[in-house]
Amino acid sequence: MRLKQKSIVAIALLTTLALLGLVFVQFHLLRNAVQVKEQAFRENVQDALNKIVDKLETGEAVGKVFSIALDAERPPHRGLLKIQAMAVADTVIEVDSLPHNKDVLLLRPPLKVEGGKITYTLPVRQQVSLRIFDALGREDTVLVNATQPAGTYTVVIDSSRYNTGEYFYKFTADGSATVLRFKDGAAGGALPGELALEKREEMVWRVLNRLAPAHRDPLATRLAPATLDSIIAFQLNENGIALDYAYGVLTAPDSLSLATPAHYRKDLLASPFKSRLFPHDLFTPRSDLVLYFPEQRSYLLQQAGAPLAATVILMAIIVFCFVFTLRTVFRQQRFTTQVTDFINNMTHEFKTPIATIALASEALQKPEMAQQPERLQRYSRIIHDENRRMRHQVDKILQMAILEEGDFELQLAPVAVNKIVAQAVENIALQVESRQGRIECRLEAEPDVIAADAVHLANIVHNLLENANKYSPAAPRLRVATHNQEGGVLLEIADQGIGIPPEDQKMVFEKYYRVHTGNRHDVKGFGLGLSYVKLMVAAHGGRVSLESEYQKGTAVKIFLPFKQAYKSSAAV
């Protein structure tokens, strides 16, 4: 069953529309996936920003509370009693014993911190807890959490880990607690776990007064760049955001301070990632912490990289297969048309000699032919010539089949190209001159000897000359030339005939393909000549090209190398 051209075009059009629709849907889904990743990234960054701001405010409040609590523990007397609540020497924290007085609350931290060792003494068996933490939530390590008998205990820690930043050592034993404060590796005070009720009330009021807007310190003194950068890096890492970042403090819509790195100032001003600093400062000017990620776009693409790459690859495969299938369908449809035309041409080519043989055979069967030897000889010669003509056509078709399968061998030998061309020109000259035409021959290749099969090379030249003469409507003007190019000989055969339309030029070397000549039937052929030329030139390691202008002529150029890599019985 042969599909009609309209059916093939309709199927191809519908399939193309379906494929375009599929590509559009996939593109839409990919864009949505990237948008979802971007939205999740925004929410993650905003969550990290909120936590950073909360840690900054919490850290400031803890520092104020701790300093106020220490102030509350100092005796209010006129210096009658001298208390050293915290003596710091070589990072050792201890408490000096002083005589008890009812107006003095003595602070006796039960810990001794020296270098990387923490020592404490238990007078009786107790439940003990010892942990190190910071006010920003970056560190919370439990060193001891057990019931221990009376005695002296030592816990070894990595002191270098706690040399930067503010850390608290909390020691709890049977309900009583003590907190030691270290800032940048230096002791900064001690806070008991229990305070009298009046002391607590006093401390609360003092904390509130210290945190009141009227007593606020300038923003520059409240944000240490090193601490701020450390908190941002820690929180982004906690939220799984492993990207380079820039940060700054936005004090007005177009005013930025603490921009780090400074060259991202414009990007920080336009960044959507911002959160208010110290949000509980109700009566102070608003300031925002701003983040910017230079590699955000590439990061989001990497997040969606696997499905994106898989989709692109699969769609590329589908598109390739679709294009290849369409191309194959149209080529097969064209090939079917060519085969049909070939069968029609072959029928016409065989019809005339068959009819001639039939008429001659009938004439020979007549009784009177025995008495007419001249007519008998004439009809016998006609039958012989037409039979040879048919056999030549059949051999030509079989030869092309053998050549396409590659089941042949070239008989390579030194061949003079100019000599082969000159003989072919001499053979075709009579046909050209009979049509009042002429051949211009310029054989300038020197040297012209190549390794080739003389028979096939002669057939190549003969086919090209025959085509040039055949497709020149009247008074053919043919030009044949040879000259040297690097590594070989260039043969050019040109005519001033009907030419080849641009749309047909790429297909004239295909088997069975013939350029349509409308309703003209005076030019016969099977469409095998140029196909044979291409196969044989390739077998000799050369190349063939065609230049043509419709209604003005055609030029075929063949390059044949001096040495070629053809191997006998190799497929072409």
Side-chain angles (χ1 to χ4, degrees), residues 110 170-173 175-179 191-194:
K170 183 174 182 180
F171 177 79
T172 305
S176 63
T178 300
V179 181
L191 179 67
E194 297 179 357

Side-chain angles (χ1 to χ4, degrees), residues 362-413:
E362 291 178 2
L364 289 175
Q365 292 176 2
K366 295 180 180 180
E368 61 271 18
M369 291 301 297
Q371 286 78 31
Q372 300 178 7
E374 293 181 359
R375 293 184 62 188
L376 180 62
Q377 186 178 9
R378 177 187 173 193
Y379 288 138
S380 297
R381 188 173 61 252
I382 291 174
I383 293 173
H384 178 269
D385 292 342
E386 293 300 321
N387 181 68
R388 184 176 59 182
R389 178 182 171 188
M390 290 179 61
R391 185 174 59 188
H392 174 73
Q393 298 287 12
V394 171
D395 289 342
K396 191 174 182 180
I397 296 171
L398 293 177
Q399 184 185 41
M400 280 303 302
I402 294 173
L403 292 176
E404 281 203 330
E405 292 296 327
D407 188 16
F408 65 95
E409 293 184 8
L410 294 180
Q411 303 299 322
L412 298 179

